[in-house]
Amino acid sequence: MNRRYRKTVIAGNWKMNMTATETKKFAEDLKKIMPRAKWCDTLICVPACNISTAMKAFKDLRISVGAENVYFEEKGAYTGEVSADMLKDLGVKYVIVGHSERRHTVAAESNELIAEKAKVALANGVKVILCIGELLEDRESGKTMEVCKAQLQAVVDAVEEKDWENIVIAYEPVWAIGTGKTATPDVAEETHSQIRAFMASAVSPAVAENVRIIYGGSVSTKNCKDLMAKEDIDGFLVGGASLKPDFVDIINC
Ligand code: 13P
């Protein structure tokens, strides 16, 4: 299928940045330059404590609000955690699972735990942005696809074929996150097309054609056009550059 049939997703990931007050100010600044996002699924994933503020602030901009994390149990004695049901009740459309910072930095989340999180989110009607991606040493030792396939396979095993309608795959090579070292459009496209080929064999050709695979890792106003021109790149998951009003230029590209 030609990429034109897959709706572009432009997602921001604010990580542990922006207070509620700063969120309101950001929305006001954005409104001055982009009254409404029109052409794509646009969302910003914010810290859990700012979801309600962001929902109100971004409503007129047609920017959806996503969450950055979810717990894998439905409810119970899990101090400090947030359930999928709570996110759904707030009106959250998407949640990020499997971000490399949760796999490697702030927590040692396993492929299987991440698959459980994806499953519970989907069961509660929250769509999933499933992050996958290799470390620098994996790439240097030729293991990029081995790592990505293992990360995907855990989710393939945990969910049903129809669930892939509600999953966006975010390929984020860890060596490109927050480093300014973007994968070149050709390097990113090569991995995106291999991921799509893997989805065809692991799930089905139809899922492979329809699933949106977005790129993350030092996406900026400078490189977004060239990346977006690639056949298998269906949008972006943007960290640092989503914290500035010129995020609009990435949405518009
Ligand atoms: P940067 O865009 O800051 O490299 O972050 C990417 C990322 O981790 C998005 O989830």
Side-chain angles (χ1 to χ4, degrees):
M1 181 188 282
N2 188 295
R3 197 194 65 203
R4 276 180 296 143
Y5 297 101
R6 294 190 294 266
K7 196 171 181 195
T8 302
V9 184
I10 305 292
N13 174 11
W14 276 1
K15 310 190 178 184
M16 200 174 74
N17 293 295
M18 294 273 196
T19 62
T21 309
E22 288 164 344
T23 302
K24 284 188 227 162
K25 165 93 173 48
F26 180 88
E28 288 310 315
D29 290 346
L30 225 55
K31 269 178 211 165
K32 288 178 202 150
I33 46 180
M34 184 196 69
R36 271 164 179 225
K38 278 187 198 144
W39 309 111
C40 48
D41 284 343
T42 311
L43 66 138
I44 298 183
C45 300
V46 304
C49 57
N50 292 338
I51 287 172
S52 295
T53 303
M55 290 245 158
K56 281 192 209 115
F58 297 155
K59 195 161 175 257
D60 296 343
L61 287 158
R62 282 219 201 118
I63 293 179
S64 304
V65 175
E68 297 179 12
N69 189 25
V70 65
Y71 199 57
F72 71 98
E73 295 282 7
E74 291 277 356
K75 62 164 68 181
Y78 305 106
T79 302
E81 297 292 351
V82 173
S83 74
D85 184 36
M86 292 168 189
L87 298 180
K88 177 72 185 168
D89 190 55
L90 285 178
V92 166
K93 291 235 170 79
Y94 284 90
V95 62
I96 296 174
V97 305
H99 194 278
S100 68
E101 285 145 21
R102 297 208 59 87
R103 291 181 190 266
H104 304 294
T105 314
V106 293
E109 293 188 0
S110 67
N111 293 346
E112 291 67 33
L113 177 84
I114 289 157
E116 285 302 308
K117 289 183 169 202
K119 202 171 156 181
V120 79
L122 295 166
N124 283 278
V126 179
K127 296 180 192 206
V128 165
I129 299 179
L130 170 65
C131 297
I132 60 166
E134 80 287 4
L135 298 165
L136 182 60
E137 66 236 42
D138 300 324
R139 177 155 284 268
E140 286 176 345
S141 55
K143 290 192 179 145
T144 298
M145 276 316 291
E146 190 184 313
V147 170
C148 292
K149 282 181 188 175
Q151 292 171 343
L152 285 168
Q153 188 65 54
V155 181
V156 168
D157 292 343
V159 306
E160 292 174 29
E161 181 171 343
K162 66 173 174 38
D163 289 324
W164 287 94
E165 275 171 35
N166 295 315
I167 300 176
V168 172
I169 298 171
Y171 170 59
E172 298 205 305
V174 182
W175 47 270
I177 295 178
T179 57
K181 281 190 205 156
T182 328
T184 63
D186 287 342
V187 165
E189 171 63 17
E190 185 188 24
T191 310
H192 278 234
S193 70
Q194 288 172 347
I195 291 168
R196 208 175 288 290
F198 173 74
M199 294 303 291
S201 61
V203 188
S204 70
V207 165
E209 278 181 11
N210 290 315
V211 71
R212 291 174 294 175
I213 307 176
I214 62 177
Y215 170 80
S218 297
V219 173
S220 70
T221 53
K222 291 202 177 74
N223 59 28
C224 58
K225 277 205 181 74
D226 291 341
L227 286 160
M228 203 56 218
K230 294 292 178 186
E231 180 69 24
D232 288 296
I233 299 181
D234 301 316
F236 302 122
L237 182 55
V238 186
S242 71
L243 293 162
K244 299 178 211 128
D246 60 8
F247 181 45
V248 165
D249 295 338
I250 298 177
I251 298 171
N252 288 336
C253 97

